[in-house]
Amino acid sequence: MLDLDLWKHSVHSICGNFDTLPHRHLPFIGTMRLNNHNGLGVAHIKTNAEKIIRSQSSCQDDKHYFVILQKKGTMGFSWSDKRDLLLPGEIALIDSSLPYDMHPQGLIEQMSVHLPKAQVDRAFSAHAQHRITKICQNRSSSQMLATLLRQLANTDTDNSSLEEDGQALQAAISALIKPSLNPLVDSATGSIREQAKQLILRRLSDENLSPVHIAKEMNISKRSLYRLFSEENLSVAQFILQMRLEKCCEDLMGTDTMVPPFSITEIAYRWGFSDASQLSRAFKRVKGVSPSQWRQKQ
């Protein structure tokens, strides 16, 4: 429980009041550190918690908006009667005054940039009706934002003497977010896309999973299904492969509960690949190395 207690202390001191529920049957993993980029706070987060809760009573410390860059793994969000997934490489803007739950899908890594709430509210007066917003990925402003966030993620600095640099970073991030705001599931289209993603995640182990099967189960045309994903500049097949490889990476990392770890062949069958060779080809095409080489590097 020492790791969990340390995690809770870090979360409360860096991000505010959140409650963490670990998995009952898995060793808890949770680390968080804060970098100070000339007055701009950037938190680096890694956890495999089952659920992280921001309750209504916790929302009194609503000093920030969190700009979340999902680095590894998939994070589920639920609030009010809505839900969505934040996939690797995606960015979301979250109002700290909103109660919501987070559901890590296995081991995840993300960074969280803390923008002053008053500044964001002034810049995005229309955002208050959404509160949790995924940044649209197919605009030049959002691509520049992703580049800036990745640069921050890979830069360790604790120099608070140049306050104007931190203010410039805040202004740049805010300016790049504004044209890219896109409600997570504020429309019927977003809701249907979320249903498709959830269905795919439930069927990842099925070797026969395909757009035809997904469209048939959802009672929509295959063309409509393709259109849902094209709005995120992503094909259905790319999403399925991306999610399968994420799950394979989690198994390749292994945990204390895996004795011995899964073999490459077992991992391939677990996540819908026909055999180890098919997994190895897809893995090398996307990751640049074979599954066994990736495992050794970890």
Side-chain angles (χ1 to χ4, degrees):
M1 292 297 292
L2 183 60
D3 289 343
L4 180 58
D5 291 338
L6 182 59
W7 160 264
K8 288 180 177 179
H9 175 76
S10 299
V11 171
H12 289 183
S13 61
I14 294 173
C15 295
N17 294 321
F18 289 83
D19 295 320
T20 300
L21 299 179
H23 286 278
R24 290 184 180 181
H25 306 298
L26 288 176
F28 175 73
I29 298 174
T31 61
M32 180 179 293
R33 61 183 172 86
L34 180 68
N35 280 357
N36 180 2
H37 292 265
N38 305 310
L40 177 67
V42 178
H44 299 267
I45 303 159
K46 180 178 182 179
T47 185
N48 68 344
E50 180 177 11
K51 183 188 289 188
I52 301 171
I53 304 166
R54 176 78 167 176
S55 65
Q56 183 66 58
S57 60
S58 301
C59 297
Q60 298 175 357
D61 59 333
D62 55 349
K63 300 176 182 178
H64 299 101
Y65 274 80
F66 304 125
V67 182
I68 306 293
L69 170 64
Q70 193 69 20
K71 296 169 64 179
K72 294 182 181 179
T74 301
M75 178 70 87
F77 285 91
S78 59
W79 71 104
S80 301
D81 59 345
K82 302 176 183 178
R83 62 179 63 236
D84 204 350
L85 298 170
L86 196 62
L87 305 175
E90 292 186 333
I91 303 168
L93 178 67
I94 302 178
D95 185 348
S96 64
S97 67
L98 173 75
Y100 59 93
D101 294 346
M102 294 181 285
H103 311 268
Q105 311 290 300
L107 183 63
I108 64 95
E109 292 183 32
Q110 59 181 204
M111 64 174 287
S112 174
V113 178
H114 299 178
L115 295 180
K117 188 173 186 301
Q119 172 186 326
V120 176
D121 284 338
R122 285 194 302 270
F124 314 138
S125 57
H127 181 257
Q129 60 181 314
H130 306 310
R131 296 300 180 89
I132 293 183
T133 306
K134 186 182 288 186
I135 302 302
C136 181
Q137 289 188 291
N138 58 0
R139 304 187 63 164
S140 13
S141 56
S142 56
Q143 292 167 9
M144 290 295 294
L145 174 64
T147 299
L148 175 56
L149 293 179
R150 283 193 293 268
Q151 182 65 38
L152 282 174
N154 296 321
T155 303
D156 290 327
T157 180
D158 207 42
N159 179 4
S160 57
S161 62
L162 301 173
E163 186 176 347
E164 63 271 25
D165 287 354
Q167 292 173 348
L169 283 172
Q170 289 181 13
I173 292 171
S174 298
L176 291 169
I177 287 174
K178 189 170 184 177
S180 305
L181 290 178
N182 182 36
L184 273 176
V185 285
D186 194 52
S187 66
T189 299
S191 180
I192 296 172
R193 182 167 55 244
E194 162 62 12
Q195 292 175 34
K197 290 179 179 178
Q198 294 287 356
L199 176 60
I200 288 169
L201 288 174
R202 292 196 300 270
R203 300 283 192 275
L204 279 181
S205 60
D206 182 357
E207 181 183 342
N208 297 316
L209 180 66
S210 71
V212 173
H213 290 92
I214 298 162
K216 184 176 181 180
E217 187 162 345
M218 295 185 65
N219 197 28
I220 61 176
S221 69
K222 192 167 68 170
R223 179 176 295 181
S224 296
L225 179 66
Y226 286 140
R227 190 180 301 118
L228 288 173
F229 283 82
S230 67
E231 292 177 3
E232 294 190 349
N233 200 28
L234 190 70
S235 73
V236 184
Q238 285 173 332
F239 179 77
I240 293 172
L241 179 60
Q242 185 179 42
M243 292 299 96
R244 279 178 167 160
L245 292 181
E246 285 292 327
K247 292 299 184 182
C248 289
C249 285
E250 291 174 16
D251 283 354
L252 288 167
M253 288 283 288
T255 70
D256 292 342
T257 62
M258 291 183 187
V259 183
F262 290 126
S263 69
I264 305 298
T265 300
E266 288 173 324
I267 292 172
Y269 289 142
R270 274 170 58 84
W271 298 115
F273 294 95
S274 60
D275 53 35
S277 297
Q278 187 190 36
L279 168 58
S280 294
R281 288 193 300 271
F283 202 97
K284 193 165 187 177
R285 185 172 69 250
V286 175
K287 302 288 187 181
V289 294
S290 70
S292 57
Q293 289 171 329
W294 191 90
R295 171 180 264 170
Q296 290 171 1
K297 288 183 178 180
Q298 304 311 305

